[in-house]
Amino acid sequence: PVDEQFANQFIDGAVDLRVAQNISRAIAALHCSEVDLDFNSTMKPWFNSLSPILKDILDETHNPEGKQDRVSALGMELGREATDEMFRCYEDTVNTASGLCHGDLHVFNVLVGAKPSIETLDNFFDTTGDMMICDWEMSHAGVAGHDLGTLRAFPIACAFAHSINGHHAAALNIINWLDVTWDAYEAAMRKAGTPDEEISKTFRHSLHYSLFTS
């Protein structure tokens, strides 16, 4: 049975690449589904209500008297003009409806098979590689990058955490999973006939959502 949160694998630093293939194909099928572009539009005000909070957090990275950490250092390095442009691009996508998306596709909303018990552990993962996406109440007509970016946010944070703590193999394992996930998604979208321009746009949008949902 699929009864364990996928997020646990990123915390452990050992991620099942079979899930990358399965989840990418599932997301691509979702994004290629026909949908009324007004579907569940009542979610839009809620997503918009997050924007001022995210903007305040971003602005704080430029405050020389604020908290000085790696995030602030990166904000200062990029400069306000660049971070303002990043936020503007993110905000534009919140009110765009181009297809069906899950809307809350973080790795805690993906279930996978539990790892074998420690007593019988001869493999890191269950035998199937099956997965299930749950919690669909925030699904709506939006942009595909919302799902891809949200899915990648926690894994990216875990990769940084493992690397900072000297667990380089774990960090590289997660980065490999991220690459395989995108490659499998891109291949599925190309097979469905999605133009290169739309695929590139999805990748750019996913970067915005990875940043603002981390």
Side-chain angles (χ1 to χ4, degrees):
V2 286
D3 54 5
E4 181 175 295
Q5 288 180 318
F6 190 31
N8 291 342
Q9 294 190 11
F10 297 97
I11 295 169
D12 292 343
V15 192
D16 191 344
L17 292 180
R18 295 172 301 174
V19 177
Q21 300 283 344
N22 292 336
I23 196 169
S24 294
R25 287 192 289 265
I27 299 170
L30 174 69
H31 292 167
C32 291
S33 302
E34 293 186 8
V35 63
D36 182 337
L37 295 183
D38 288 326
F39 170 66
N40 207 11
S41 59
T42 54
M43 288 305 308
K44 296 292 186 179
W46 186 84
F47 286 121
N48 277 299
S49 73
L50 299 178
S51 292
I53 300 171
L54 296 173
K55 185 64 166 61
D56 286 346
I57 294 171
L58 198 59
D59 286 345
E60 186 62 22
T61 66
H62 299 288
N63 180 3
E65 298 180 357
K67 183 179 180 181
Q68 300 302 307
D69 55 17
R70 291 183 178 90
V71 176
S72 296
L74 179 58
M76 296 291 284
E77 179 183 344
L78 291 171
R80 183 176 291 276
E81 183 177 345
T83 57
D84 283 350
E85 175 65 11
M86 291 161 61
F87 181 77
R88 184 193 64 77
C89 292
Y90 159 78
E91 199 168 33
D92 286 348
T93 65
V94 172
N95 295 303
T96 299
S98 58
L100 182 61
C101 64
H102 180 278
D104 197 26
L105 191 57
H106 51 75
V107 289
F108 291 89
N109 275 343
V110 178
L111 298 180
V112 296
K115 293 181 181 180
S117 67
I118 194 65
E119 291 81 9
T120 61
L121 189 60
D122 56 3
N123 195 317
F124 278 120
F125 311 113
D126 80 311
T127 58
T128 67
D130 289 344
M131 65 88 206
M132 179 174 66
I133 300 171
C134 58
D135 290 352
W136 290 82
E137 67 273 11
M138 293 174 70
S139 58
H140 64 286
V143 296
H146 186 151
D147 286 341
L148 271 297
T150 304
L151 179 70
R152 291 151 62 96
F154 186 75
I156 290 171
C158 286
F160 275 113
H162 284 301
S163 182
I164 289 168
N165 286 284
H167 306 148
H168 301 304
L172 290 173
N173 184 273
I174 293 171
I175 291 170
N176 186 38
W177 184 88
L178 291 166
D179 288 341
V180 171
T181 300
W182 171 258
D183 289 346
Y185 175 82
E186 180 183 5
M189 295 301 284
R190 288 188 187 282
K191 186 175 181 180
T194 307
D196 288 351
E197 182 180 353
E198 286 301 312
I199 293 173
S200 296
K201 187 185 298 183
T202 295
F203 185 77
R204 291 195 302 272
H205 289 167
S206 75
L207 298 179
H208 305 150
Y209 279 92
S210 290
L211 172 65
F212 291 109
T213 56
S214 293

